[in-house]
Each structure stands twice: as C-alpha cells, then as structure tokens.
Amino acid sequence: MIRVLVVDDSAFSRVTISRMIQRDPELKVVATATRGEEAIRLALAHRPDVVTLDLEMPGLDGFAVLRWLAANLPVPAIVVSSRQGRDDVFRALDLGAVDFVLKPQAHASLEYERLESVLIAKIRAIAEARPPRAAAPRRPVPPAAPIASGASALLVIGASTGGPAALTALFAALPPLACPVVVAQHMPAGFTGLFAERLTRVARFPVVEAHAGQALHPGRAYVAPGGAHLEIARDDGSWRARVEERAPRDLFSPSVDRLFRSAAAAAGAGALGVILTGMGSDGREGVVAIRASGGRTIAESEESAVVFGMPREAALSGAIDEVRPLGEIPAAILRLLRADPK
C-alpha cells in the first residue's frame, strides 16, 4: 500500500485529489493538510510514501515544506500546481520536488479524468523515487570545441520523471557538439520554453524550444514543445523539426518513441539515442528503431535514475548498447559519436 499525504489550502482540491487517489486500491490517503506547518506535523506523524503538494498556502508555503523535507524527511513530493506558476514549478523542482501535475483550468470531467490517470501513475512511480546516488560530473567534459561527428549524426534524448534535473546536469557537462541535440521531456504545454531557457544558463551551447519547420543546426539543442510531438526530417541535406498536436488518447506528449523513430528514419546509423530517468515505457520502441537502423543507444542506470522505469524498459528491449550512471553519460556520448556505427 502506498501512503499519501495531500497538502492543499483549497478544500475543493483536497477533496478532489483525495478521491482520485482513494479510487486506486493500492493507494491510501493517510492525512490531508491545509498549510505548511500542518503538513510538516502530519508528515512526521504518518511518514507517508509520497506527498502531493500545493505551492501557494498561507503561513509556510510549499517551498518551505520542500526545504524542510529535503533537510529532515526524505519523502518524494509531487507538486500539484495551477498553470500560472511556471517559474514556481521549476523553483520547486530545484528544491527537490520529483515531478509536477497541473490542476485543470475548468471543472471539465475529461480534464479531471486525465489528471487522475496521470496523477496516479506518477504517485506509483514516485513512491519508488530516491535521490541519485551517483552525482553528475562537477566539471564539464572536454573538449570545448565541437567534436568530429559526421554531418549525418544526430543526438536525441528522452526523459520523464526526474528528467529536468538529469538534463540540467547532462547539459552542464557536455561540450558543443558537431550535430544537433533534440530532447523530448514529458512536460505540459507552456513549460518547455522556460525549461529551454533554464538549460541555456548551464549549457555551453544555445538551447531553444523547437517549432514547426525549424532548421536544426549542429552545436545547438532543441526541446520538444510541451503538449505536442516533435519529429525530425531530413530536407536537402539539413535537419528540420516537424511538430504535431497531441491526440486526446496520447498519455505522454511529447512522445520519446515518436522522436526516436523519426531520428532512426532520418539519420540511420548516425542516430544516437539516450534514455534518461522516467516512468513507463516511452522510448522502448524508439531505441529498437534506432538500433535497427544501425544507430547507437545509451540508457541511464538504476544507480542514478530517480525513476528507473523508462531506462529499464529500454534495456529489456535488448536494443541498448550501454547502461551508464548519469555521471558517465556525457563521456559515453562523446565516445559513441566519434565511433564508427556498428
């Protein structure tokens, strides 16, 4: 049984979130709190497996709760946020929140059904989350100049839960590459542009949110727009971004599988796919496509992944060349991009 503490100053949100969680027979709401001080007291009393946390509360807010949890009680927290506080969400992730979901803007039943399925899946995955045991490199990986990877090379990266922190560490360590870098991070619409800006602050190369028809250049990185799917096409010897809207049936968008499959089709043996921390199996079909095209693949190891679901599924497919802790992935990327394709 996964025990959950629900923290939200809105009575409607507390009741709604609690009912969603209680409908799953393997989840149990052990307590609810309306403010930060109460959340800390109840966390100490009940020792929950997961905390769902609102950020805006009277008294101690959600940020203060996250700081206290990080220092005193290592319980994974998932932020349940309104759509307005994008900066607040990333600040919460910086303070140790493992993931976030958005509250629906309106009381539409379809929106709440989607929230329920996503929230329960994330709680299940986050219950097993833990701080990485293998830290990313403290110093950037040399060389500082672009590496010699052919004109047909393409690096694609997929991540979900725990991905923002992992990608930040990865981009801080990588040098500029002589190929485009394209990322599919499970994230809602409206957040990926800000996430790209945050990555640019730590990377030694520009990072932008991709848009339809955009040319993808070596030495730059592109983040798939949240709430949509990004695919890559080869057009007269250059790379182009193709963006498609999310379908109602799609559980995750952007889709790692769709990005990786398009990379396999466009780059063939020049494709290098990297699967980082995340829940579920998105990316499994994609790494199979990349290996079938002659490309290379890397999965983050359980040693460092916050949630080992996506890397584990990718590895079980038999299509992963190397399984590495996060701290070793930058060097592996450089080595494989230099290597001749198998």
Side-chain angles (χ1 to χ4, degrees):
M1 182 69 69
I2 298 172
R3 304 165 72 253
V4 184
L5 169 62
V6 175
V7 184
D8 201 305
D9 67 332
S10 162
F12 174 80
S13 293
R14 282 196 312 278
V15 171
T16 302
I17 293 168
S18 296
R19 285 176 176 170
M20 290 177 180
I21 294 170
Q22 295 282 86
R23 277 195 282 268
D24 188 301
E26 296 184 12
L27 306 183
K28 179 181 180 181
V29 175
V30 293
T32 62
T34 62
R35 56 182 62 215
E37 297 90 342
E38 186 182 16
I40 290 172
R41 178 176 60 80
L42 291 172
L44 282 170
H46 293 278
R47 305 281 170 157
D49 300 304
V50 177
V51 174
T52 70
L53 183 65
D54 187 22
L55 294 176
E56 297 181 7
M57 295 181 292
L60 288 182
D61 59 15
F63 304 110
V65 173
L66 286 169
R67 292 190 191 94
W68 185 90
L69 289 173
N72 299 281
L73 191 66
V75 177
I78 176 170
V79 168
V80 182
S81 172
S82 67
R83 294 181 184 271
Q84 285 74 29
R86 289 179 293 176
D87 287 306
D88 287 348
V89 165
F90 285 109
R91 181 182 168 198
L93 293 174
D94 289 342
L95 289 172
V98 179
D99 208 339
F100 71 97
V101 296
L102 299 178
K103 296 177 182 177
Q105 292 286 70
H107 294 173
S109 59
L110 181 60
E111 288 296 311
Y112 275 93
E113 286 175 12
R114 184 176 295 125
L115 171 62
E116 180 173 341
S117 63
V118 172
L119 179 61
I120 288 175
K122 287 181 182 289
I123 289 173
R124 284 173 167 271
I126 288 169
E128 301 176 1
R130 63 195 183 285
R133 289 176 285 174
R138 294 184 179 180
R139 297 180 181 178
V141 173
I147 69 171
S149 54
S152 62
L154 182 66
L155 172 60
V156 288
I157 304 171
S160 183
T161 305
L167 285 162
T168 298
L170 179 63
F171 276 35
L174 279 175
L177 304 178
C179 69
V181 181
V182 187
V183 175
Q185 162 69 52
H186 293 165
M187 196 170 281
F191 286 80
T192 41
L194 180 58
F195 181 49
E197 292 175 12
R198 291 169 65 87
L199 289 175
T200 296
R201 297 174 199 165
V202 301
R204 288 182 281 167
F205 44 85
V207 185
V208 299
E209 183 183 52
H211 58 79
Q214 182 177 23
L216 307 179
H217 299 289
R220 294 174 177 264
Y222 304 85
V223 177
H229 300 299
L230 176 63
E231 297 180 341
I232 301 166
R234 191 77 163 161
D235 182 15
D236 293 329
S238 63
W239 305 109
R240 291 279 175 187
R242 186 168 58 226
V243 176
E244 295 188 8
E245 291 300 314
R246 174 188 186 278
R249 66 180 181 277
D250 294 338
L251 182 58
F252 298 116
S253 56
S255 164
V256 178
D257 278 330
R258 289 182 64 162
L259 173 63
F260 279 30
R261 285 196 299 262
S262 72
L272 172 58
V274 179
I275 295 287
L276 299 178
T277 173
M279 67 179 192
S281 61
D282 192 20
R284 176 174 176 140
E285 294 179 8
V287 297
V288 170
I290 287 176
R291 286 300 287 121
S293 74
R296 309 294 290 274
T297 55
I298 302 170
E300 184 178 358
S301 71
E302 188 173 9
E303 179 183 355
S304 66
V306 174
V307 176
F308 191 51
M310 283 170 53
R312 178 178 56 236
E313 290 297 317
L316 288 173
S317 74
I320 292 295
D321 289 301
E322 300 188 20
V323 178
R324 299 279 180 182
L326 181 62
E328 296 179 10
I329 290 178
I333 287 172
L334 299 188
R335 176 167 41 77
L336 290 178
L337 282 176
R338 289 195 193 96
D340 292 329
K342 287 184 176 179

